[in-house]
Amino acid sequence: MNLLIKNGTVINANGRRKADVAVCDGVITAVEEKQGDGSSASLREAEEPSPYFTEVVDASGLLVLPGAIDVHTHFELQFGETLSSADDFFTGTSAAACGGVTSIMDFVTPERGESLHVALEKRKRIAAEKACIDFGLHMGISEINDLVLAEMAKVKAAGVSSFKVFMTYAFRLSEEEFKRALSRAKEIDALIMVHAEDHELLEAKRAEFIAAGKTDAWHHYLSRPEDVETKAVEKAVELAKETGAKLYIVHLACAEGLKAIEKAQQEGYPVYAETCPQYLNFTCEVYKRSDGRNFVCSPPMKGEQSKKMLWYGIKNNIIDTLATDHCPFQSFDKDMGINDFTKIPNGVMGVENLYPYMLSEANKGNITFERVVELCSSNPAKIFGITPSKGSITPGSDADIVLYDPDKDFTISQKNMHSNIDYTIWEGTRLNGYPVRTYSRGNLIYKDGEFLGNSGYGQFLRRGSF
Ligand code: URP
Ligand code: ZN
Ligand code: ZN
């Protein structure tokens, strides 16, 4: 099936132009600028569906964007013995498609002692059965031994070039282990991603609050405030500098952490930062709401100053990517922690909101459309090793394309979202502009509010190095 998208404004990270986009067998074959008479050079004849172009779309007034790449989702994340995050790979990726996301990256979390490679194959099968868009996987590392270090090279060769470590939770690495992981990643040219919160500091605060009977969601925030995250980010950056390894800080949510990252970048270290839309649009005030436990995630949303600094980081190229950490649990599951914030399953939603929210900010003039494309598509593609097939509207790239109507206003509600979740933190948020179509490798998978894709269509992304 060949597709022609005519008369739109094509936006890549490096600029925009009025151009027609031709797609053949799922790949972009031409991006041709408009001539003075409004037509493009060799595509001008194709006004109607023809034996060559089976679909011709008039994108007048629309922006033609590369699909977003959300490199941080947790679909079917196991929590305890019986609970799982609300979205599986079908509902999660269909919601993603409806928000203009054309690739996601999720996580493999091997059991202690389990082979990384075996865990990867298992997770890949689960995802491949249901994913409606292309998907990559990061490998979780919760222990360091000779076998794990050897297997890192093996899974990298299998297309998993990023490894995620934690500085808190039961499966955290010690400082020494973290350093060994960084050194090994440097040897094999892989990327270490880190969840940075200081374990000892937060455990002490949690214990103090629980002992004092301070058990509400607000105390979730107070147990993991700015300094808990800052201390860990500073440590992670210090270890990255010592080892010279590439480091990617996931879900950055605090001002002082941003400063440590900025300094390392200015000194020339390969330190990258991701933040999430929830940290740009909300603050810790959400935890004071009666339904505040629904928004419990770690790191929690911080104060106004951190929110302001994250926007500073976006505007000044300190933050490299936007991703969602999409990990919602149903409100009745969040109720497990109604009398104890430490029992609330952590995570919020965002996979369907990421691109529309950021593009709306561009539409309001707070940031350029090009920068949104860079943060949500081209930088994720580069950093996680899937260029040139993903991340831009360029001949030779996969036809992962979003048509965006800058004049279509949209108010987010649980009712018009496609996740399997009974509420949304984004309820009532008004957006200027909204995606109207999403194509994955040339196939229309979303149109005007309706998901049109298929379970199992998504392909595993074998990734290389940055
Ligand atoms: O609260 C969150 N973010 N849950 C998902 C797991 C993680 O730490 O990223
Ligand atoms: Zn995390
Ligand atoms: Zn996460």
Side-chain angles (χ1 to χ4, degrees), residues 77 113-114 135 152 174 215 228 267 334 381 406 423 444 463:
L77 177 85
E114 187 182 19
F135 64 96
M152 283 173 73
S174 68
T215 58
V228 164
E267 291 165 350
K334 292 276 191 181
Y423 65 96
L444 185 63
R463 299 182 292 113

Side-chain angles (χ1 to χ4, degrees), residues 72-74 77 107 164 166 195 250-251 274 298-299 324-327:
H72 192 158
T73 65
H74 299 280
L77 177 85
F107 297 84
K164 165 104 175 272
F166 287 82
H195 174 126
V250 298
H251 50 44
E274 162 197 291
S298 296
T324 63
D325 197 10
H326 181 93
C327 190

Side-chain angles (χ1 to χ4, degrees), residues 296-330:
V296 160
C297 58
S298 296
M301 283 149 262
K302 306 295 200 308
E304 199 57 51
Q305 176 59 11
S306 283
K307 186 174 130 183
K308 232 167 89 186
M309 279 302 288
L310 293 173
W311 273 109
Y312 167 88
I314 284 189
K315 291 178 181 171
N316 290 277
N317 298 324
I318 304 161
I319 288 172
D320 301 284
T321 64
L322 256 289
T324 63
D325 197 10
H326 181 93
C327 190
F329 289 84
Q330 306 293 359

Side-chain angles (χ1 to χ4, degrees), residues 103-351:
S103 301
I104 58 101
M105 291 181 204
D106 208 284
F107 297 84
V108 186
T109 48
E111 303 284 330
R112 261 192 119 66
E114 187 182 19
S115 150
L116 305 188
H117 203 261
V118 168
L120 168 63
E121 289 308 313
K122 257 199 260 172
R123 187 74 171 156
K124 212 158 96 176
R125 268 199 302 278
I126 292 169
E129 217 172 88
K130 299 184 199 162
C132 316
I133 57 174
D134 294 345
F135 64 96
L137 293 168
H138 313 288
M139 177 60 66
I141 299 281
S142 59
E143 58 186 333
I144 296 287
N145 54 47
D146 289 346
L147 184 61
V148 167
L149 294 173
E151 278 211 296
M152 283 173 73
K154 195 171 165 194
V155 298
K156 188 185 174 237
V160 175
S161 53
S162 43
F163 297 85
K164 165 104 175 272
V165 305
F166 287 82
M167 296 171 81
T168 185
Y169 302 123
F171 37 85
R172 69 191 174 281
L173 294 188
S174 68
E175 185 175 328
E176 201 42 49
E177 289 173 322
F178 186 4
K179 227 167 125 171
R180 286 182 75 192
L182 284 163
S183 300
R184 180 62 175 149
K186 185 171 158 66
E187 267 170 22
I188 63 170
D189 196 17
L191 182 68
I192 293 289
M193 309 163 76
V194 64
H195 174 126
E197 288 185 294
D198 187 87
H199 187 71
E200 280 70 35
L201 207 50
L202 78 85
E203 279 299 320
K205 290 179 199 277
R206 269 160 79 114
E208 180 196 323
F209 292 138
I210 294 300
K214 295 174 176 169
T215 58
D216 57 1
W218 176 243
H219 284 85
H220 167 73
Y221 161 64
L222 290 182
S223 69
R224 313 169 93 106
E226 281 76 347
D227 61 328
V228 164
E229 190 181 345
T230 300
K231 191 171 174 204
V233 171
E234 287 174 350
K235 174 54 75 181
V237 168
E238 181 190 315
L239 298 181
K241 287 183 182 180
E242 270 178 44
T243 54
K246 285 183 274 193
L247 178 68
Y248 178 95
I249 316 273
V250 298
H251 50 44
L252 182 77
C254 67
E256 296 301 317
L258 183 87
K259 286 186 191 160
I261 293 163
E262 181 179 29
K263 185 161 176 291
Q265 290 173 348
Q266 284 167 350
E267 291 165 350
Y269 291 99
V271 174
Y272 307 96
E274 162 197 291
T275 192
C276 313
Q278 57 270 28
Y279 302 122
L280 296 173
N281 196 57
F282 303 99
T283 67
C284 51
E285 290 298 307
V286 295
Y287 301 117
K288 291 181 177 165
R289 286 168 48 170
S290 58
D291 58 349
R293 67 186 165 284
N294 285 348
F295 318 122
V296 160
C297 58
S298 296
M301 283 149 262
K302 306 295 200 308
E304 199 57 51
Q305 176 59 11
S306 283
K307 186 174 130 183
K308 232 167 89 186
M309 279 302 288
L310 293 173
W311 273 109
Y312 167 88
I314 284 189
K315 291 178 181 171
N316 290 277
N317 298 324
I318 304 161
I319 288 172
D320 301 284
T321 64
L322 256 289
T324 63
D325 197 10
H326 181 93
C327 190
F329 289 84
Q330 306 293 359
S331 60
F332 48 84
D333 290 330
K334 292 276 191 181
D335 286 349
M336 279 165 58
I338 203 158
N339 294 317
D340 180 350
F341 68 82
T342 67
K343 298 203 163 53
I344 301 171
N346 279 211
V348 295
M349 60 288 292
V351 76

